[in-house]
Amino acid sequence: MKIIKQFLMVCSMLISISVWAQSSLLMNYADLVLYNGQVIIVDQEFNIAEAIAIRDGKVLATGNTSDMMALAGPDTERLDLQGRTVTPGYIYNDGDNAVPGGDIYKDTLVDGYLSGRIKGEHLEELLQSIDEVLGRSHSGDPVFINMPKDYPLEASNWTADDIDEIAPDNPLALFYTSSDVKVNHAMLERAFALGLPRDHFGVKKDADGVATGELFHEATGFIGWSVRPYPSRDYIETALEEAKASFLGYLSSGITTTTGHMSGLTISMLNELFQKGELTMRVYPGHDFTRQNPFPEQYLKRIGNLVDFSLYDPASGPMVKIVGAALASLGDGPNSPSGMLTIQAKDKILPDLGGTTHGWNKWTGEAVTGLSWEDLSDEQRYMTDWNTMRLLNKYGWNTSGNHNMGSGAMRVVLDAVENAYAGEILFEQVKPNAYDHNVIWHEDNYPKILQYNDKLRFALNIGEIFEPREVNGVPVLHYEYESQLDDIQPVKDLLELGINVHFEGTDGHNHPMKLIKYAVTRTDDNGKVIGPDQAIDRATALRMITSYGARFIGEELSLGSLEPGKWADFAVLDGDFMQVEDHELDELDIDLTYVAGKLMYDASLWETE
């Protein structure tokens, strides 16, 4: 009898606790309820609800309209979707320039101001552009210039002697790619004085052992970061305003999180914007501090493991978070003479561009050394980012924001991955290794990818295929790989193999609905069909820029879907995502964008008559 009384007492207590919990829940009403639409949750089953409730910046619940409205209180904001679609916010990974200064290491810098590439497809125009930049400098000041992507072939053979004639009064560095720089003697001596080893592999020498002024990879990184001064405060103040405009561009396309390799300058500007309450979206950098760094272990030992460290807003969660460390790209873009580093050869070379059938390896400085990856000695490999990946792995960092477009670049990266995981490990990694672009694939790489699949993530630049870059009006990728286009990026096959891929975007100019349309229809804006067998359905395509994008940066537990407990980052489309015709997907636009349940973009405020 005593046991029965104790049992009943416990039951009574449990009932009381349950009643208290329910009343407590009802006292904490939702802050926002969106109803009478379709909420695509992007959970494992791809469930679609009628309504969603938000509280404290996170998803409280999803379900039918009546159930969600029951969570609303007197102060709850209510939004009638009127049949419109809600999706998770889109996650873009090529956001290097979400804040100006993301490419500081190769950008033009003169008189305290950063700017982008100069013009000069032809030699006369190039020399005039360089002279205009030098004209803004003071005598003796170092000047850094970002060369045209399709620079004239005559400029590819310049040495320090040639650049001395161009810039007799200033140390001058000309950045041909992110890994190839040519400097005059004044800049060369400046670099040596600041600590660049004269015998470093990245410093090209002539037959007599004298530096020619041609530098690559880690030596280029030393010029780009260690020799280059920071821009002025005047520039930074201008850049902060440009950054806020950049965020608006992202938000207008429903993009709520961007990541990519980012410089210390970028991270400092993000910090200032965060402290001022002016950061309106999430920016998750892959830190550039080890990229092309001749002294990576010194930095790693001094800095420690900062992966997952964040600038955290109690109401919105992490707004800036370090998601890894960046390495240098192995190949270049299709519109550069360096080209994409590939296993398979091009069909032909665009005469106006030049280059080689397989592209040049930027880690080996192949454009100036003629050395492929297989040609390097162990000592030379240890003076590249191949060794840096080993050191990052040793100290608990992962790689993130590394641009590799071709299958040959991927092969070298996978060699570096294998080397890294075979080495000494002092601290466990927090996040996966993430690699950008990956336009051209090759089946030879699949076995090693699958061997390390749980540690690897890959972005697919689908836009490079359907909106190819041009040189003199010619779409380079389509010209040089004409017979291979259907197979170079086998999206469907990669997904079926279980390889961790997603679609990347750069900024608001690459509208997410256009990327989805390309993936579903496999048709470009001119009606050209490319790789129809690799088409995927729209549900999978949406995952590719939401939940799979979150997986890319190891944030799948907090971002990428609208499941309860995740941050309420979402976009409201102006139509029905599931019903619109495939070829009309890119006609859908963004009405509203929310970050942590807060309205950050409202299209109606930007409407013009």
Side-chain angles (χ1 to χ4, degrees):
M1 192 69 175
K2 183 177 180 181
I3 294 175
I4 294 175
K5 287 182 178 179
Q6 289 177 338
F7 174 74
L8 293 173
M9 186 180 299
V10 171
C11 289
S12 177
M13 290 173 61
L14 290 173
I15 291 171
S16 297
I17 291 171
S18 177
V19 171
W20 172 84
Q22 290 182 48
S23 63
S24 176
L25 175 65
L26 292 175
M27 289 174 63
N28 291 286
Y29 296 114
D31 300 318
L32 170 67
V33 173
L34 296 90
Y35 63 95
N36 191 27
Q38 56 171 354
V39 178
I40 304 179
I41 301 170
V42 194
D43 54 2
Q44 186 172 357
E45 296 78 21
F46 205 78
N47 287 312
I48 300 177
E50 288 182 344
I52 183 171
I54 311 299
R55 187 172 70 197
D56 297 332
K58 295 185 176 181
V59 177
L60 176 62
T62 57
N64 61 49
T65 292
S66 60
D67 287 346
M68 294 303 100
M69 292 300 285
L71 300 174
D75 297 322
T76 299
E77 181 183 356
R78 299 165 172 82
L79 176 63
D80 185 351
L81 293 169
Q82 297 179 328
R84 291 175 294 176
T85 299
V86 175
T87 72
Y90 312 121
I91 298 174
Y92 273 19
N93 71 272
D94 191 27
D96 311 337
N97 289 304
V99 176
D103 281 342
I104 179 178
Y105 62 97
K106 65 178 181 180
D107 272 346
T108 299
L109 175 64
V110 60
D111 196 27
Y113 265 73
L114 282 174
S115 57
R117 297 184 186 280
I118 62 170
K119 295 180 180 179
E121 294 181 11
H122 306 288
L123 186 60
E124 183 177 350
E125 181 186 26
L126 176 62
L127 291 171
Q128 181 179 345
S129 295
I130 293 173
D131 191 56
E132 288 173 358
V133 174
L134 290 169
R136 302 200 301 270
S137 69
H138 303 286
S139 180
D141 287 350
V143 176
F144 304 79
I145 293 179
N146 193 350
M147 294 279 278
K149 197 76 171 178
D150 46 347
Y151 54 84
L153 296 179
E154 299 97 319
S156 62
N157 296 318
W158 285 350
T159 65
D161 291 336
D162 299 308
I163 303 172
D164 281 345
E165 294 183 15
I166 296 172
D169 301 321
N170 300 85
L172 176 62
L174 304 175
F175 286 80
Y176 286 65
T177 74
S178 59
S179 289
D180 300 285
V181 65
K182 297 179 187 291
V183 301
N184 60 6
H185 285 97
M187 183 66 80
L188 193 61
E189 291 306 315
R190 189 182 186 92
F192 292 147
L194 288 171
L196 176 64
R198 290 179 180 269
D199 61 349
H200 192 281
F201 171 55
V203 180
K204 187 183 178 184
K205 303 171 187 65
D206 62 19
D208 297 321
V210 177
T212 65
E214 300 165 282
L215 300 97
F216 58 89
H217 195 38
E218 288 187 350
T220 292
F222 192 86
I223 296 287
W225 276 283
S226 300
V227 178
R228 176 192 297 261
Y230 255 24
S232 66
R233 179 63 196 182
D234 284 345
Y235 166 79
I236 290 171
E237 288 177 356
T238 299
L240 291 173
E241 294 303 311
E242 292 176 354
K244 289 188 284 186
S246 172
F247 298 150
L248 181 60
Y250 279 104
L251 294 165
S252 69
S253 294
I255 303 160
T256 53
T257 301
T258 188
T259 182
H261 76 85
M262 298 183 189
S263 68
L265 175 63
T266 296
I267 293 170
S268 294
M269 288 196 283
L270 289 170
N271 195 349
E272 182 165 329
L273 290 166
F274 174 82
Q275 302 300 337
K276 291 178 176 179
E278 296 175 344
L279 188 56
T280 52
M281 63 178 293
R282 304 186 198 277
V283 186
Y284 286 16
H287 203 313
D288 270 340
F289 77 103
T290 54
R291 180 177 177 148
Q292 297 160 272
N293 186 341
F295 312 106
E297 192 156 23
Q298 294 180 19
Y299 281 70
L300 286 161
K301 288 161 71 175
R302 283 175 178 260
I303 292 174
N305 190 350
L306 299 181
V307 177
D308 247 9
F309 278 58
S310 66
L311 295 174
Y312 191 95
D313 182 333
S316 303
M319 297 300 292
V320 179
K321 181 184 281 193
I322 304 297
V323 293
L327 300 180
S329 53
L330 273 149
D332 208 14
N335 60 327
S336 163
S338 295
M340 294 185 285
L341 186 62
T342 60
I343 293 174
Q344 68 275 46
K346 303 172 185 176
D347 294 339
K348 52 191 173 182
I349 296 172
L350 183 65
D352 290 348
L353 190 61
T356 67
T357 56
H358 290 82
W360 284 314
N361 187 320
K362 288 161 65 174
W363 284 12
T364 69
E366 191 169 1
V368 295
T369 66
L371 298 174
S372 70
W373 184 246
E374 291 73 23
D375 295 328
L376 295 197
S377 66
D378 289 343
E379 181 182 6
Q380 290 169 330
R381 290 187 182 193
Y382 272 84
M383 286 186 276
T384 71
D385 280 9
W386 180 83
N387 182 52
T388 302
M389 186 184 292
R390 177 187 69 84
L391 293 169
L392 287 168
N393 206 55
K394 175 180 176 179
Y395 289 98
W397 284 77
N398 58 289
T399 56
S400 184
N402 308 294
H403 293 186
N404 303 301
M405 286 203 170
S407 54
M410 189 185 298
R411 179 168 59 183
V412 177
V413 162
L414 292 170
D415 180 73
V417 167
E418 185 172 54
N419 175 65
Y421 284 106
E424 181 184 17
I425 305 295
L426 295 179
F427 298 98
E428 293 184 2
Q429 283 184 322
V430 178
K431 290 184 178 291
N433 299 296
Y435 305 102
D436 295 357
H437 295 349
N438 303 295
V439 176
I440 298 181
W441 289 68
H442 195 283
E443 60 185 8
D444 286 359
N445 289 326
Y446 294 172
K448 197 166 286 186
I449 290 173
L450 294 172
Q451 180 182 351
Y452 296 98
N453 201 35
D454 61 324
K455 299 176 173 65
L456 304 178
R457 305 289 185 267
F458 298 95
L460 301 178
N461 188 338
I462 194 169
E464 193 72 63
I465 295 173
F466 291 94
E467 295 180 280
R469 287 180 255 187
E470 297 184 351
V471 171
N472 294 332
V474 179
V476 183
L477 189 73
H478 290 191
Y479 178 91
E480 296 193 331
Y481 297 92
E482 184 177 11
S483 72
Q484 305 173 47
L485 284 178
D486 285 350
D487 303 312
I488 58 178
Q489 193 183 94
V491 178
K492 188 175 181 180
D493 292 349
L494 295 172
L495 289 167
E496 289 176 352
L497 283 169
I499 294 174
N500 299 309
V501 294
H502 83 287
F503 289 141
E504 73 175 43
T506 55
D507 53 31
H509 294 98
N510 310 114
H511 199 284
M513 293 302 116
K514 177 161 279 194
L515 298 184
I516 288 176
K517 176 188 172 183
Y518 291 151
V520 172
T521 67
R522 302 295 303 188
T523 304
D524 70 11
D525 294 339
N526 297 315
K528 181 175 183 176
V529 178
I530 304 172
D533 292 343
Q534 295 302 322
I536 58 177
D537 61 76
R538 69 183 66 193
T540 303
L542 182 59
R543 289 188 192 278
M544 294 283 276
I545 57 171
T546 54
S547 61
Y548 293 171
R551 182 179 65 184
F552 181 77
I553 51 176
E555 291 292 317
E556 60 266 44
L557 296 181
S558 59
L559 301 174
S561 71
L562 297 175
E563 297 169 275
K566 292 191 175 183
W567 290 108
D569 298 358
F570 58 91
V572 179
L573 301 174
D574 63 358
D576 188 334
F577 176 81
M578 297 305 295
Q579 296 300 320
V580 67
E581 296 290 334
D582 288 350
H583 66 277
E584 295 178 347
L585 277 163
D586 62 339
E587 296 180 17
L588 290 171
D589 216 335
I590 307 300
D591 276 350
L592 307 165
T593 303
Y594 290 76
V595 176
K598 299 178 183 65
L599 181 62
M600 293 299 183
Y601 171 77
D602 183 345
S604 67
L605 300 178
W606 298 90
E607 291 177 355
T608 57
E609 294 183 4

